[in-house]
Amino acid sequence: MSLDEIKTRIAEAEQAAGRAPGSVKLIAVSKVQPLERVEAVLEQGQRVFGENRVQEAAGKWPDFKDRFPGVELHLIGPLQSNKARQAIGLFDAIHSVDRPKLAKALARLAQEEGHCPELFIQVNTGEEPQKAGVLPEDTDALVADCRALDLPLRGLMCIPPVGEEPSLHFALLAKLAARNGLEGLSMGMSGDFETAIAQGATHVRVGSAIFGERSDAVSA
Ligand SMILES: *Cc1c(COP(=O)(O)O)cnc(C)c1O
């Protein structure tokens, strides 16, 4: 599917949900994609991209950023504290804050670096043991921690369990965000972004529907 088709579907979903045109940000998830495919999407004008590994992003994005002004990069994969400084230097947004220790590290490093990416707390809405994210019941406390640290917290993010109805997870995320006064909702991927938009997504993370299947099928 082309970038234009995805953008059209997003616009239609915004309209169907009675939401303002342009209220949903498309993050093109370029992880593991061949450089020429990423470049083709940059050539078509897309500037907002998502990567799930700091190291991989560090390898390809400095060069693309030089060549394509206005790139905005989002980290959507787990972040280890020892990579936090590098992540602050590279990313405009981090969607995977999921523990107080990481929030503290980001606050300290942001102070040193003089800037901080926009942050989302990842919530493990399916309570899956192998998956990153704070549990729903611990979300309010982590929001409070981030606020006490003066971090620029924008919203919440989730990745619904494979094989479950995503709308239940999107609804839970929206409820947690609303009760914490957070406006940002990072939810929806290639298979379910229209459902997510209907439920209030402000950021959708779309990879394979734009770029094609990832050859090694690496996922979150
Ligand atoms: C890979 C990934 C996506 C994109 O998945 P697609 O199904 O290819 O659209 C979205 N969010 C996260 C966190 C990912 O790791």
Side-chain angles (χ1 to χ4, degrees):
M1 205 168 296
S2 72
L3 179 66
D4 277 344
E5 285 173 274
I6 298 296
K7 290 205 277 200
T8 302
R9 283 172 58 188
I10 289 173
E12 285 167 358
E14 283 170 342
Q15 192 177 22
R19 301 190 46 197
S23 54
V24 178
K25 182 175 276 197
L26 169 62
I27 302 172
V29 178
S30 50
K31 64 183 183 195
V32 204
Q33 296 291 349
L35 293 180
E36 58 274 17
R37 272 197 213 160
V38 181
E39 184 158 345
V41 171
L42 279 159
E43 296 282 4
Q44 290 167 51
Q46 176 69 19
R47 288 294 178 274
V48 184
F49 289 85
E51 290 282 343
N52 74 338
R53 293 206 167 93
V54 177
Q55 226 47 54
E56 187 188 333
K60 64 179 129 168
W61 282 100
D63 179 49
F64 278 146
K65 279 186 178 180
D66 283 346
R67 295 171 48 214
F68 296 92
V71 164
E72 182 181 310
L73 209 52
H74 292 242
L75 178 65
I76 59 172
L79 177 60
Q80 295 164 268
S81 298
N82 63 7
K83 298 233 172 75
R85 188 187 296 277
Q86 195 181 6
I88 287 176
L90 193 57
F91 292 97
D92 301 289
I94 296 175
H95 293 236
S96 50
V97 178
D98 65 356
R99 55 200 190 277
K101 184 174 169 245
L102 178 58
K104 284 197 194 85
L106 287 168
R108 180 174 53 79
L109 294 166
Q111 191 83 37
E112 291 176 18
E113 300 291 322
H115 68 102
C116 190
E118 178 170 84
L119 302 177
F120 292 78
I121 289 174
Q122 182 176 350
V123 183
N124 186 356
T125 55
E127 308 194 19
E128 298 171 278
Q130 82 287 3
K131 197 168 267 179
V134 65
L135 292 174
E137 70 204 46
D138 297 330
T139 301
D140 296 356
L142 187 53
V143 170
D145 288 341
C146 289
R147 287 186 168 146
L149 290 163
D150 249 340
L151 287 168
L153 184 63
R154 176 80 191 277
L156 305 179
M157 177 271 228
C158 76
I159 309 170
V162 174
E164 280 188 31
E165 179 51 58
S167 61
L168 300 174
H169 297 272
F170 298 154
L172 173 57
L173 199 73
K175 187 179 101 182
L176 292 170
R179 86 171 179 216
N180 281 287
L182 288 167
E183 157 273 340
L185 285 172
S186 168
M187 58 190 199
M189 319 202 320
S190 290
D192 54 22
F193 66 88
E194 283 139 324
T195 307
I197 290 169
Q199 293 183 260
T202 57
H203 295 63
V204 293
R205 311 177 309 265
V206 181
S208 46
I210 294 173
F211 293 101
E213 288 302 322
R214 291 176 289 273
S215 48
D216 62 357
V218 167
S219 69

